[in-house]
Amino acid sequence: MRIMKVEKTLVSTNRQAELGHKPLLVVRDKAGATPLVAVDAIGCVPGDWVICVSSSAAREAAGSKSFPSDLTIVGIIDHWNPEDAPAGA
Amino acid sequence: MRIMKVEKTLVSTNRQAELGHKPLLVVRDKAGATPLVAVDAIGCVPGDWVICVSSSAAREAAGSKSFPSDLTIVGIIDHWNPEDAPAGA
Amino acid sequence: MRIMKVEKTLVSTNRQAELGHKPLLVVRDKAGATPLVAVDAIGCVPGDWVICVSSSAAREAAGSKSFPSDLTIVGIIDHWNPEDAPAGA
Amino acid sequence: MRIMKVEKTLVSTNRQAELGHKPLLVVRDKAGATPLVAVDAIGCVPGDWVICVSSSAAREAAGSKSFPSDLTIVGIIDHWNPEDAPAGA
Amino acid sequence: MRIMKVEKTLVSTNRQAELGHKPLLVVRDKAGATPLVAVDAIGCVPGDWVICVSSSAAREAAGSKSFPSDLTIVGIIDHWNPEDAPAGA
């Protein structure tokens, strides 16, 4: 699983019906990294450091085997110091 | 899921029957990045910023479990400013 | 899906029985890139630019759910100009 | 599978019920690399060099097909000298 | 599939029962690259250039759908000249 920071909600009015109304959040693993989109299965707010599961496990974690997710937030980290990730990482 | 920009339609006359007539689009996550091919399950036009799902979820999102896709467009983003992705990303 | 160029056939006499006699081709997404091996489900020749599907979809695209493939060629691109991929990609 | 070093336990009080009480460990494949989170299915301690399985195999390795893991520790390496991985790796 | 070179056997006494006694080999795609661990389903010796399958196909290739592998050796390449991979790769 990846450690990522929640930035904001992503608005997509024209979306597949299977996505339902689950919130889609923009997440990044560090400043300057390429942003990704994760399904929120927990209830996060911007600024939270979260645990994101990818691969086939992201589907069921998002609610069902047919949910079209490849990145789902499954936990909020109690305390995370990004400085633990060296600058050269 | 990844945030990508639609560039154009990809023409492939000689293709597997399972791909059917679903549009195949060339997408990139930023200028200069390696282009990828996504199945369009929504109805996009060049220039749209879209949400692409990869991994096993891309198959069912493209229409059925046996659809040979590993990247499927599942939503169009209402407003996306690529500048949100720092130059160093 | 990825856009790759077919280079040559890969000979592997000592191989798993499940691979059968399906051709294995060496493919690269651009000159200098790490070569990968793809199962040819279409009938390509060296020099073709092709669409390769990865992930779990590569198995069924190669012929059956139990086929041990993680990269399968599912289409030949009619016209592809690699210059479309900027040098800095 | 990847060779990674266990750093510490990750505390996530607000987590999906499916994660249960399985320990979540912070792992890195070398100093300075981006940290990842793995489910411990073996019983490791910080400093152990371990074998981590990813992709869909990580789910069942973590206990069941519905376990939301994409990285699970499946073995502890008896002896591992990270110097085997050249500095330029 | 990836083209990798077998380096040596990896010893892991404390491992998941599902791994059984299948040999685990350290493989690299080129000198200096990060080493990975593959399950040997063919019978290789150090120095062999092999074809490794990843993703969900690695599980069944290793013997059964419940085998916890994400990288399995499915063939030995008859002749491989790593010089085919340009230095800048």
Side-chain angles (χ1 to χ4, degrees):
Chain A
M1 284 70 71
R2 298 172 67 169
I3 296 168
M4 308 198 81
K5 190 176 188 176
V6 177
E7 292 204 341
K8 58 176 174 183
T9 299
L10 187 70
V11 181
S12 166
T13 308
N14 185 353
R15 57 158 89 183
Q16 249 195 350
E18 286 76 9
L19 280 172
H21 295 295
K22 280 264 167 67
L24 299 177
L25 303 179
V26 178
V27 295
R28 261 186 242 246
D29 58 6
K30 60 173 180 271
T34 301
L36 294 176
V37 179
V39 174
D40 183 6
I42 294 285
C44 309
V45 294
D48 281 344
W49 281 95
V50 294
I51 304 170
C52 292
V53 68
S54 64
S55 189
S56 61
R59 295 182 291 148
E60 202 152 342
S64 78
K65 274 195 177 168
S66 62
F67 196 97
S69 171
D70 63 8
L71 195 68
T72 303
I73 299 172
V74 293
I76 301 173
I77 304 175
D78 287 17
H79 304 288
W80 183 253
N81 182 358
E83 296 307 313
D84 286 354
Chain B
M1 283 71 70
R2 298 172 67 170
I3 296 168
M4 308 198 81
K5 190 177 188 175
V6 176
E7 292 205 340
K8 59 176 174 182
T9 299
L10 186 70
V11 181
S12 166
T13 308
N14 185 354
R15 58 158 88 182
Q16 248 194 351
E18 285 77 7
L19 281 172
H21 295 293
K22 280 264 166 66
L24 299 177
L25 304 178
V26 177
V27 295
R28 260 187 244 246
D29 58 5
K30 59 173 179 271
T34 301
L36 294 176
V37 179
V39 174
D40 183 6
I42 295 286
C44 310
V45 295
D48 281 344
W49 282 95
V50 295
I51 303 170
C52 293
V53 68
S54 64
S55 189
S56 60
R59 294 183 291 149
E60 203 153 342
S64 78
K65 273 196 178 169
S66 62
F67 197 97
S69 172
D70 62 8
L71 195 68
T72 302
I73 299 171
V74 293
I76 300 173
I77 304 174
D78 286 18
H79 304 289
W80 183 253
N81 181 359
E83 297 307 312
D84 286 354
Chain C
M1 285 70 70
R2 298 172 67 169
I3 296 169
M4 308 199 79
K5 190 177 190 176
V6 176
E7 293 206 339
K8 59 176 175 182
T9 299
L10 187 70
V11 182
S12 166
T13 308
N14 185 355
R15 59 158 87 183
Q16 249 195 351
E18 285 76 9
L19 281 171
H21 295 294
K22 280 265 167 63
L24 299 178
L25 303 178
V26 178
V27 295
R28 261 186 243 246
D29 58 5
K30 61 172 179 274
T34 300
L36 293 177
V37 180
V39 174
D40 181 7
I42 295 286
C44 310
V45 295
D48 282 344
W49 282 95
V50 295
I51 304 169
C52 292
V53 68
S54 63
S55 188
S56 61
R59 294 182 292 147
E60 204 153 341
S64 78
K65 273 195 179 169
S66 62
F67 197 97
S69 173
D70 62 8
L71 194 69
T72 302
I73 299 171
V74 294
I76 300 173
I77 303 173
D78 287 17
H79 304 289
W80 182 253
N81 181 358
E83 297 308 311
D84 286 355
Chain D
M1 285 70 71
R2 299 172 66 168
I3 297 169
M4 308 199 81
K5 190 176 188 176
V6 177
E7 292 205 341
K8 59 177 175 182
T9 299
L10 187 69
V11 182
S12 166
T13 307
N14 185 353
R15 59 158 88 182
Q16 249 194 351
E18 287 75 10
L19 281 172
H21 295 294
K22 280 265 167 66
L24 298 177
L25 303 180
V26 178
V27 295
R28 261 186 241 247
D29 59 5
K30 61 174 180 271
T34 301
L36 294 176
V37 180
V39 173
D40 183 7
I42 295 285
C44 308
V45 295
D48 282 344
W49 281 95
V50 295
I51 304 170
C52 290
V53 68
S54 63
S55 188
S56 61
R59 293 182 292 147
E60 203 153 341
S64 78
K65 274 194 177 168
S66 62
F67 197 97
S69 172
D70 62 8
L71 194 69
T72 302
I73 299 173
V74 293
I76 300 173
I77 303 174
D78 287 18
H79 304 289
W80 183 253
N81 181 357
E83 295 309 310
D84 287 355
Chain E
M1 285 71 70
R2 299 173 66 169
I3 297 169
M4 309 200 79
K5 190 176 188 177
V6 177
E7 293 206 340
K8 59 177 175 181
T9 300
L10 187 69
V11 182
S12 166
T13 307
N14 185 354
R15 57 158 89 183
Q16 248 195 350
E18 287 75 10
L19 280 171
H21 294 294
K22 280 265 167 65
L24 299 177
L25 303 179
V26 178
V27 295
R28 261 187 243 245
D29 60 5
K30 61 173 180 269
T34 301
L36 294 177
V37 180
V39 173
D40 182 7
I42 295 285
C44 309
V45 294
D48 282 345
W49 281 96
V50 295
I51 303 169
C52 292
V53 68
S54 63
S55 188
S56 61
R59 293 183 293 146
E60 203 152 341
S64 79
K65 272 194 178 169
S66 62
F67 197 97
S69 173
D70 62 8
L71 194 69
T72 302
I73 300 172
V74 293
I76 300 173
I77 303 174
D78 287 18
H79 304 288
W80 183 254
N81 181 358
E83 295 309 311
D84 286 355

